[in-house]
């Protein structure tokens, strides 16, 4: 488990050796040139960092040209404010010779570390301080889940929801806010679906007007076809993404958290009466069990995203399910006749192959063994005999 540290130092670009030394100590340093830029990153991503390193003379604003103690003072004051409700250790790291052994500086800002001379001591004290953080202890214990909370996967905002829930598991409190924690689980699932859509695994129509429809998204990931509410419109995918167990778990999580998060949900047919349940079994174990199932979901997503990184290929598996067109079938191209331009479709079901007209072969640049999904139609040839051919085709 690596340590993530924010570093505010306007001269960091000239100190690559320090960043390299930190990496050898399992410390990932994220440098910024001014108080304004560094604290802005901290405010936007407060759960991401484990500690902060401050330069003594540093720019306060990103467009400032002068350095002085104003930047350090501003950063220190902000960190003191943060530490009123949490624990984010910070360290002053200076290379200014006029501050070395200067009593006034120590009295004003506290202990400091001298660049080059105290690097090893800084790394040691920094790691010891971070090891005391409850957030770091939780992140270390559940490392595999937190590794998915990056921009590459479901995003850093999921970290806060995981922290809230897992802190409750590790340090149970007398006061327990069901709605807060259940909503947190739903938000994490939403992040998974948004990331799935970005990767082309989830259909755009499951996020109408930018709002994730959790039910539609869950169905699309678990089924080959589904209906979009009362509109009757159908969409589908030639490949089922969710394993059966995961599909069942996600449906159960959404049902339970919906009943727990929305009072009106308890009045709907088929919804769980969460209030009545809690009067019979007043514990937090239901939440905890669902939290671990959600962690299974994010671990599955990381593995699946790594195995299916091409959004164009993933989107090619989407299928409009129009009753007027017919059902889509998956298979591959066989027996391509290069001279005459036609080929045949061999379905995965093992049924007989079907003729693919030259126009579709050319349009889709088909080759033998190209994976495709098709709609087959009946037609009459010039002798009034009924035959079949591929009517619609998409590459997979």
């Amino acid at each position: 488990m690596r340590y993530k540290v924010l570093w505010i130092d306007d001269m960091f670009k000239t100190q690559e050796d320090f960043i390299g030394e930190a990496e050898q100590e399992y410390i990932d340093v994220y440098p910024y040139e001014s108080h304004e830029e560094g604290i802005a990153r901290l405010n936007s991503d407060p759960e991401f960092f484990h500690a902060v390193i401050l330069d003594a003379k540093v720019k306060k604003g990103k467009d400032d040209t002068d350095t002085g103690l104003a930047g350090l003072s501003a950063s220190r004051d902000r960190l003191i404010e943060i530490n009123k409700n949490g624990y984010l250790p910070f360290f002053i790291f200076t290379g200014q010779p006029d501050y070395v052994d200067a009593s006034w500086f120590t009295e004003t800002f506290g202990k400091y570390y001298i660049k080059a001379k105290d690097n090893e001591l800084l790394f040691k004290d920094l790691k010891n301080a971070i090891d005391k953080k409850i957030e770091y202890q939780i992140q270390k214990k559940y490392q595999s889940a937190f590794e998915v909370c990056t921009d590459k996967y479901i995003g850093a905002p999921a970290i806060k929801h995981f922290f809230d829930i897992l802190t409750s598991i590790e340090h149970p409190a007398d006061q327990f806010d069901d709605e807060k924690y259940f909503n947190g689980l739903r938000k994490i699932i939403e992040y998974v679906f948004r990331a799935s859509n970005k990767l082309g695994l989830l259909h755009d129509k499951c996020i109408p007007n930018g709002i994730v429809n959790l039910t539609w998204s869950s169905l699309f990931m678990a089924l080959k076809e589904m209906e979009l509410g009362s509109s009757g419109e159908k969409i589908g995918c030639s490949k089922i993404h969710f394993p059966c167990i995961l599909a069942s778990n996600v449906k159960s999580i959404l049902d339970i958290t919906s009943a727990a998060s929305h009072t009106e949900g308890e009045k709907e047919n088929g919804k769980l009466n969460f209030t009545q349940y809690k009067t019979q079994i007043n514990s937090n174990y239901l939440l905890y069990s669902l939290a671990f199932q959600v962690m299974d979901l994010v671990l599955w997503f990381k593995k699946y995203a790594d195995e299916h990184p091409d959004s164009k290929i993933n989107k090619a598996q989407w299928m409009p399910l129009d009753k007027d067109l017919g059902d889509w079938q998956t298979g591959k191209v066989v027996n391509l006749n290069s001279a005459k331009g036609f080929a045949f479709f061999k379905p995965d079901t093992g049924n007989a192959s079907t003729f693919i007209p030259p126009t579709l072969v050319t349009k889709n640049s088909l080759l033998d063994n190209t994976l495709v999904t098709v709609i087959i139609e009946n037609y009459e040839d010039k002798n009034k005999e009924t035959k079949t051919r591929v009517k619609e085709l998409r590459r997979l």
Side-chain angles (χ1 to χ4, degrees):
M1 179 69 189
R2 300 186 66 84
Y3 303 87
K4 300 182 182 68
V5 178
L6 174 69
W7 184 23
I8 301 177
D9 189 325
D10 59 304
M11 299 295 290
F12 76 81
K13 292 179 181 178
T14 65
Q15 303 175 66
E16 293 182 356
D17 288 347
F18 174 74
I19 296 178
E21 291 175 22
E23 290 178 349
Q24 294 298 316
E25 295 291 331
Y26 301 97
I27 300 170
D28 293 329
V29 176
Y30 297 80
Y32 289 85
E33 291 186 340
S34 68
H35 156 79
E36 179 185 352
E37 295 167 293
I39 296 302
R41 172 66 193 278
L42 179 62
N43 290 338
S44 68
D45 221 356
E47 282 79 25
F48 183 79
F49 294 106
H50 301 131
V52 180
I53 297 176
L54 303 173
D55 184 25
K57 287 186 176 180
V58 67
K59 295 189 299 182
K60 182 177 181 181
K62 65 179 181 179
D63 296 325
D64 291 347
T65 56
D66 297 331
T67 60
L69 293 176
L72 172 62
S73 297
S75 295
R76 177 204 58 184
D77 292 346
R78 174 59 183 140
L79 289 164
I80 290 174
E81 182 180 352
I82 289 173
N83 279 309
K84 289 179 181 179
N85 299 312
Y87 174 57
L88 184 64
F90 61 93
F91 304 83
I92 299 174
F93 190 45
T94 180
Q96 301 299 324
D98 49 328
Y99 293 162
V100 177
D101 298 327
S103 59
W104 67 267
F105 185 80
T106 305
E107 291 171 1
T108 304
F109 295 101
K111 180 179 179 180
Y112 60 88
Y113 299 79
I114 301 172
K115 292 180 179 179
K117 176 183 176 182
D118 294 334
N119 290 15
E120 186 175 338
L121 178 60
L122 172 62
F123 296 147
K124 177 182 176 182
D125 290 351
L126 184 147
K127 290 193 287 186
N128 286 339
I130 293 175
D131 286 340
K132 297 175 183 178
K133 283 175 63 69
I134 293 175
E135 293 87 350
Y136 181 77
Q137 295 168 8
I138 291 173
Q139 194 169 349
K140 187 174 183 179
K141 183 173 182 178
Y142 301 100
Q143 180 177 350
S144 58
F146 282 101
E147 287 177 346
V148 194
C149 302
T150 65
D151 291 340
K152 181 179 178 181
Y153 298 108
I154 68 173
I159 293 176
K160 182 181 186 326
H161 299 295
F162 270 130
F163 271 145
D164 289 343
I165 296 167
L166 294 174
T167 299
S168 175
I169 293 175
E170 297 294 325
H171 302 276
D174 293 333
Q175 298 296 323
F176 188 83
D177 188 341
D178 285 310
E179 184 171 342
K180 171 186 174 183
Y181 294 124
F182 282 111
N183 279 336
L185 291 178
R186 292 174 70 84
K187 287 297 294 184
I188 295 171
I189 295 175
E190 177 186 330
Y191 295 144
V192 172
F193 286 149
R194 287 192 182 279
S196 297
N197 174 251
K198 184 178 180 180
L199 199 57
L201 300 172
L202 179 66
H203 203 293
D204 291 338
K205 291 192 175 182
C206 293
I207 309 182
N209 301 315
I211 300 174
V212 177
N213 186 307
L214 296 175
T215 300
W216 291 0
S217 299
S218 176
L219 289 173
F220 184 85
M221 299 290 283
L223 302 173
K224 280 200 170 184
E225 65 178 76
M226 58 164 289
E227 191 170 290
L228 296 174
S230 59
S231 69
E233 181 183 359
K234 288 186 177 182
I235 58 174
C237 187
S238 62
K239 183 176 184 179
I240 295 176
H241 299 304
F242 278 168
C244 291
I245 292 177
L246 193 61
S248 177
N249 286 348
V250 172
K251 181 181 184 303
S252 175
I253 294 168
L254 293 178
D255 285 345
I256 294 172
T257 56
S258 176
S261 303
H262 308 98
T263 304
E264 66 271 16
E266 298 182 18
K267 300 177 182 179
E268 298 176 12
N269 292 331
K271 289 290 185 183
L272 302 173
N273 190 321
F274 183 75
T275 303
Q276 182 181 2
Y277 175 83
K278 288 291 287 186
T279 61
Q280 297 173 349
I281 305 177
N282 187 22
S283 78
N284 304 332
Y285 298 135
L286 176 62
L287 167 77
Y288 299 159
S289 67
L290 298 182
F292 287 120
Q293 291 180 43
V294 170
M295 283 194 279
D296 256 4
L297 170 65
V298 301
L299 293 183
W300 167 86
F301 175 76
K302 180 179 183 297
K303 184 175 185 295
Y304 202 76
D306 289 341
E307 294 172 349
H308 303 81
D310 194 318
S311 61
K312 290 184 178 180
I313 292 176
N314 296 334
K315 285 186 177 183
Q317 297 173 339
W318 295 357
M319 301 182 298
L321 298 173
D322 190 323
K323 293 179 181 178
D324 294 333
L325 290 177
D327 295 327
W328 289 86
Q329 302 179 43
T330 59
K332 64 181 180 180
V333 176
V334 296
N335 299 332
L336 175 65
N337 189 315
S338 301
K340 296 185 178 180
F342 63 81
F344 288 85
F345 166 72
K346 183 178 181 181
D348 292 338
T349 58
N351 292 337
S353 297
T354 304
F355 178 76
I356 304 176
T359 54
L360 291 178
V361 172
T362 301
K363 178 181 177 182
N364 294 278
S365 303
L366 299 181
L367 300 171
D368 277 329
N369 296 315
T370 300
L371 300 180
V372 294
T373 181
V374 307
I375 291 177
I376 296 174
E377 68 173 352
N378 295 322
Y379 73 100
E380 287 187 352
D381 65 9
K382 60 182 180 181
N383 297 319
K384 302 296 183 179
E385 294 182 5
T386 301
K387 294 186 176 181
T388 60
R389 64 186 174 195
V390 171
K391 177 182 179 182
E392 299 283 340
L393 181 146
R394 290 187 179 186
R395 293 176 62 110
L396 295 180

